[in-house]
Amino acid sequence: MLFSSSKRIRCGVAGVGSLGQHHARVYAELPDADLVGVYETSDARAAEICLKYGCRRFATLEELGSACDAVSVVVPTDRHAEVALPLLAQGTHLLIEKPLCASLDEAQRVLAAAQAHGCVVQVGHIEHFNPVMAFLEKQVRAPQYITAERLAPYQPRGTEVGVVLDLMIHDIGIVLALVKSPVRRIDSVGVTVLSKKEDIANARIEFESGCVANLSASRLSTKRQREIRLFQPDAYLSLDFMNQEGHLLKKSDLLAYGAKMKLGLVKTGDLSAIPVKSIPIEKGEPLALELAHFVKSVRLAQEPKVGAALGTRALEVAITITEQIQNARSAA
């Protein structure tokens, strides 16, 4: 269904907790969207959000779906399918926070429902809308080796799943989008410390193209960090998703530097002369960019940048990593 260019898309949010409240805020700010209302089990939080943004609280998901063209599903991962399916049955377009679902079976049921009812489903892999990712998409052509590290302090929210589905899945989605090659092999390790699931994990992913990605994630850190380093034949890139900055070292510049060293124009060991360039990244709020893209996809009835296909591939890799960690723990 195509919407008129003058019609504002009626939006809602299912779950306005620590992340969902920001979905509500952005919808209220988008020029071509109207925040109609929310579905929330907490009376206090529902009242707070409705008062703040002048929207309505709906008693049921069905009422929310009937009043909205599009809804963000921002509930715990193990409830994604439970919330998404009745909304899809009403023809409501959805942005489902990452990961798509807690299992591949649930993901397939959501995808089947979306196709049956002609609904747009976008998966909330927010880093794909980070300006850092926009730079990577323009620069990355033939990646050979990638390292990514994602650290966060411990908090009870999100521990219904392990750190792989909670944090690492961001980098899994990024790597899959950049490498564009089938996965050949995955080797994983993980440690459980405070929760019932893995809290620290590392995965080595080999692709058919020959690229290798080494991903690390921890939710027991004293600091936050979201960094990626990428090597390809013509360049080395180091980028920070959190601070939206980075550095680029091109092979051509490095060869020129080596030539200057041979001519004595640069002192051996003078690291300050290495031609590392700062990357000019135009900063922006990833969530605002993500939801604006979702609203546009709904209006034009087009496949979103991070659709169900990529969301499912990322989930499949994440579940493989999780199962390897669980199996190793069981065998110990």
Side-chain angles (χ1 to χ4, degrees):
M1 173 183 176
L2 285 171
F3 291 90
S4 165
S5 59
S6 61
K7 183 183 184 299
R8 293 162 69 90
I9 303 299
R10 299 171 301 163
C11 299
V13 182
V16 284
S18 60
L19 178 55
Q21 65 179 322
H22 295 296
H23 282 247
R25 169 182 59 80
V26 172
Y27 283 134
E29 295 171 350
L30 287 177
D32 52 354
D34 279 326
L35 176 63
V36 175
V38 303
Y39 172 76
E40 169 59 48
T41 57
S42 166
D43 293 339
R45 176 47 69 93
E48 175 191 349
I49 297 300
C50 290
L51 178 63
K52 190 171 186 178
Y53 300 113
C55 62
R56 174 185 170 190
R57 181 191 188 184
F58 291 92
T60 67
L61 286 170
E62 288 75 15
E63 290 179 7
L64 177 68
S66 295
C68 296
D69 304 309
V71 168
S72 282
V73 176
V74 200
V75 297
T77 301
D78 55 4
R79 293 192 59 218
H80 280 186
E82 172 191 340
V83 171
L85 289 172
L87 290 170
L88 291 171
Q90 293 177 273
T92 309
H93 304 288
L94 299 182
L95 185 148
I96 304 175
E97 265 302 338
K98 63 79 200 165
L100 175 56
C101 289
S103 71
L104 288 173
D105 177 66
E106 288 181 344
Q108 293 301 329
R109 288 167 56 203
V110 167
L111 299 186
Q115 292 173 355
H117 298 285
C119 296
V120 169
V121 171
Q122 180 172 320
V123 186
H125 285 264
I126 192 170
E127 297 287 36
H128 288 257
F129 298 91
N130 191 311
V132 167
M133 188 63 174
F135 178 85
L136 284 169
E137 289 168 337
K138 293 176 183 177
Q139 294 291 325
V140 175
R141 296 176 181 83
Q144 296 179 325
Y145 184 66
I146 301 171
T147 65
E149 191 169 38
R150 190 166 294 260
L151 311 176
Y154 183 79
Q155 56 182 353
R157 183 184 65 83
T159 54
E160 73 277 358
V161 295
V163 74
V164 174
L165 286 171
D166 184 21
L167 297 182
M168 186 185 285
I169 195 162
H170 283 294
D171 295 314
I172 293 170
I174 290 167
V175 166
L176 291 177
L178 294 176
V179 177
K180 298 182 178 66
S181 172
V183 172
R184 175 192 297 162
R185 179 185 174 91
I186 299 175
D187 293 292
S188 317
V189 293
V191 178
T192 297
V193 181
L194 294 179
S195 70
K196 296 180 180 179
K197 310 283 187 177
E198 79 283 350
D199 296 310
I200 303 170
N202 175 269
R204 185 179 188 275
I205 305 173
E206 296 180 21
F207 293 89
E208 295 291 347
S209 66
C211 180
V212 173
N214 194 298
L215 313 182
S216 296
S218 170
R219 55 187 182 192
L220 298 178
S221 177
T222 57
K223 62 179 181 179
R224 295 185 183 276
Q225 183 173 308
R226 294 160 21 214
E227 296 181 354
I228 188 170
R229 294 173 180 81
L230 187 146
F231 301 80
Q232 60 185 26
D234 64 345
Y236 159 67
L237 301 91
S238 174
L239 293 111
D240 182 336
F241 278 88
M242 187 168 67
N243 296 306
Q244 296 181 355
E245 61 188 21
H247 297 88
L248 169 66
L249 177 59
K250 292 186 176 180
K251 182 179 180 180
S252 57
D253 292 336
L254 193 57
L255 290 174
Y257 168 76
K260 289 180 180 180
M261 283 185 61
K262 289 182 179 179
L263 294 173
L265 300 176
V266 176
K267 292 182 180 179
T268 302
D270 183 3
L271 300 181
S272 64
I274 296 177
V276 178
K277 297 178 180 177
S278 294
I279 298 171
I281 295 175
E282 184 177 349
K283 291 179 168 51
E285 183 187 2
L287 182 61
L289 297 171
E290 178 183 47
L291 295 188
H293 177 84
F294 173 53
V295 169
K296 180 180 178 181
S297 297
V298 169
R299 180 182 299 284
L300 301 179
Q302 67 183 17
E303 179 69 14
K305 178 180 180 181
V306 187
L310 178 58
T312 301
R313 285 182 63 211
L315 178 62
E316 185 175 13
V317 171
I319 288 177
T320 298
I321 294 169
T322 300
E323 288 178 346
Q324 287 185 357
I325 293 170
Q326 291 174 342
N327 292 339
R329 192 167 63 216
S330 299

